[in-house]
């Protein structure tokens, strides 16, 4: 089995992973969306990683979906709404038993991807690292964090896991990755939409704590209903801790809206509301929040799904 890391999506996180793996001498190939993007990438000669004031260029080979050759390991680094269609295009190249590492925030996109590639193994990731694109093919490592990876269907640690340590990518194998993803989703639902609706940084929510607390109560009940008691534990307290610790920051959803980008709401608040409906759980506050957010996105001319 080939040890090459194919990386689907050379955006913020994809580039951050690609550069660190390449720096550690691992075989890496980027998969770009079309010939035009590939030509633009080849014209600049590689990806640039910016860490504080230090910038390094990594001449990582690129290709499009249409290249030939099997893929044994694929890091999926697209946005949640792009992941399944992008992977579907690659399905014919995925070897039997190929491993996919899914970096998408929220929940729902992982199952959409898995449905496209029943012959592959899907490993879910939850990342607190932060990166953003300063320009095409140039990414700034903006926030040190951690990565948890796990496969809900198989607790065995993959043989390649040490590649991450070799590359300086802080990571731990998690046998309860779904609990981590649910917890992160709940934190996101309690904070991010309100920062858009109240047009504020995270600390601005200190003026709306009653609203935040009501959402936390519903989210905690929902987590219990769908078999995630650990993710429900002390949710309200952690949400308040996060609001205080990140008071000066703008949430990712706020930043997406500010820059006129599509949000990942379908896989965050939208997922929570869909799961609640499936379990017959009453979540009036979450539904009202979703409706207000949808109205606000539509009013700005942004996709609301
Ligand atoms: P991003 O910067 O927008 O990068 C996404 C990349 O996917 C873009 O380069 C885009 O290509 C590419 N792409 C989309 N469809 C494609 C296709 N069919 N074929 C090839 N490439 C395709 O997004 P991101 O910030 O890295 O986020 C990725 C995921 O990680 C999201 O779910 C996000 O929530 C999560 N996450 C991000 C961070 C962070 O700090 N950035 C932290 C934690 C979690 P183009 O360049 O051609 O548009």
């Amino acid at each position: 089995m080939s040890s090459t890391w194919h990386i689907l999506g050379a955006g913020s996180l994809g580039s951050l992973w690609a550069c660190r793996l390449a720096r550690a001498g691992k075989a890496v190939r980027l998969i770009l969306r079309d010939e035009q993007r590939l030509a633009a990438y080849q014209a600049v000669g590689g990806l640039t990683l910016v860490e504080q004031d230090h910038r390094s260029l990594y001449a990582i080979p690129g290709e499009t979906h249409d290249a030939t050759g099997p893929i044994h390991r694929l890091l999926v680094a697209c946005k949640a709404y792009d992941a399944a269609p992008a992977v579907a295009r690659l399905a014919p190249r995925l070897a039997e038993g190929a491993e996919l590492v899914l970096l998408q925030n929220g929940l729902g996109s992982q199952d959409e991807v898995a449905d496209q590639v029943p012959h592959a193994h899907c490993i879910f990731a939850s990342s607190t690292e932060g990166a953003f694109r300063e320009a095409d093919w140039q990414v700034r490592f903006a926030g040190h964090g951690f990565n948890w990876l796990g496969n809900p269907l198989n607790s065995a640690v993959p043989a390649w896991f040490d590649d991450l340590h070799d590359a300086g990518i802080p990571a731990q194998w998690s046998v309860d990755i779904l609990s981590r993803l649910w917890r992160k989703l709940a934190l996101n639902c309690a904070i991010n939409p309100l920062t858009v609706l109240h047009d504020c940084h995270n600390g601005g929510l200190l003026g709306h704590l009653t609203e935040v607390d009501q959402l936390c109560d519903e989210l905690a009940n929902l987590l219990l209903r769908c078999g995630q008691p650990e993710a429900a534990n002390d949710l309200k307290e952690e949400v308040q801790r996060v609001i205080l610790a990140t008071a000066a920051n703008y949430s990712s959803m706020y930043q997406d809206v500010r820059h006129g980008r599509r949000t990942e709401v379908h896989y965050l608040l939208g997922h929570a509301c869909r799961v609640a409906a499936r379990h017959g759980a009453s979540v009036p506050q979450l539904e009202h929040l979703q409706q207000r957010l949808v109205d606000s996105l539509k009013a700005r001319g942004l996709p609301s799904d």
Side-chain angles (χ1 to χ4, degrees):
M1 191 171 261
S2 154
S3 59
T4 299
W5 285 85
H6 283 86
I7 299 197
L8 178 58
S12 310
L13 269 201
S15 300
L16 179 63
W17 280 61
C19 290
R20 289 180 295 183
L21 287 163
R23 178 163 62 193
K26 309 297 172 189
V28 181
R29 296 189 71 83
L30 299 175
I31 300 175
L32 306 176
R33 61 166 81 232
D34 54 32
E35 290 295 339
Q36 210 179 345
R37 293 294 281 157
L38 180 59
Y41 172 67
Q42 286 170 339
V44 301
L47 289 178
T48 298
L49 178 62
V50 186
E51 293 166 282
Q52 284 150 357
D53 293 331
H54 186 74
R55 57 188 61 224
S56 313
L57 177 76
Y58 297 93
I60 298 167
E63 62 189 42
T64 66
H65 295 244
D66 302 326
T68 51
I71 295 173
H72 295 273
R73 188 180 314 140
L74 181 70
L75 181 75
V76 182
C78 308
K79 287 285 172 76
Y81 45 78
D82 281 328
V87 168
R89 283 178 62 197
L90 279 180
R93 290 181 60 195
L94 289 176
E96 190 65 40
E99 290 171 297
L100 276 61
V101 179
L102 309 178
L103 284 182
Q104 287 61 49
N105 201 4
L107 279 161
S109 70
Q110 297 86 351
D111 289 342
E112 291 175 0
V113 168
D115 286 347
Q116 303 297 327
V117 287
H119 59 304
H121 302 294
C122 288
I123 290 157
F124 300 6
S126 178
S127 177
T128 60
E129 295 194 296
F132 65 89
R133 279 194 270 190
E134 289 188 336
D136 261 359
W137 325 118
Q138 180 174 310
V139 66
R140 177 171 286 274
F141 192 178
H144 288 267
F146 202 79
N147 300 282
W148 288 269
L149 281 75
N151 180 345
L153 303 177
N154 182 356
S155 60
V157 185
W160 47 261
F161 203 71
D162 281 347
D163 275 13
L164 305 185
H165 298 136
D166 296 347
I169 298 173
Q172 187 182 313
W173 187 252
S174 166
V175 291
D176 212 357
I177 189 69
L178 281 178
S179 175
R180 285 198 177 276
L181 284 164
W182 266 113
R183 178 72 163 197
K184 195 169 176 216
L185 183 149
L187 289 166
N188 186 300
C189 289
I191 296 174
N192 294 23
L194 286 180
T195 63
V196 173
L197 294 170
H198 293 300
D199 192 16
C200 62
H201 47 51
N202 292 356
L205 298 186
L206 293 170
H208 302 276
L209 281 184
T210 310
E211 210 176 358
V212 173
D213 282 356
Q214 285 171 346
L215 289 171
C216 288
D217 287 340
E218 273 192 16
L219 285 160
N221 280 334
L222 175 61
L223 291 167
L224 293 175
R225 282 288 283 269
C226 61
Q228 298 294 338
E230 269 191 44
N233 217 3
D234 292 335
L235 179 64
K236 202 181 284 183
E237 290 73 15
E238 192 178 353
V239 165
Q240 294 199 10
R241 266 199 304 275
V242 170
I243 289 174
L244 283 171
T246 62
N249 298 358
Y250 287 97
S251 74
S252 53
M253 189 177 278
Y254 181 96
Q255 291 183 46
D256 282 341
V257 170
R258 183 79 175 266
H259 291 105
R261 295 189 297 242
R262 182 174 175 183
T263 71
E264 295 183 300
V265 59
H266 184 80
Y267 300 94
L268 295 160
L269 183 55
H271 186 78
C273 290
R274 285 192 301 280
V275 170
R278 211 182 302 150
H279 286 271
S282 165
V283 287
Q285 302 286 339
L286 287 170
E287 280 168 1
H288 183 51
L289 181 68
Q290 189 183 30
Q291 193 51 57
R292 287 159 68 204
L293 186 64
V294 164
D295 292 345
S296 166
L297 294 173
K298 281 186 180 157
R300 296 165 200 258
L302 291 174
S304 56
D305 61 347

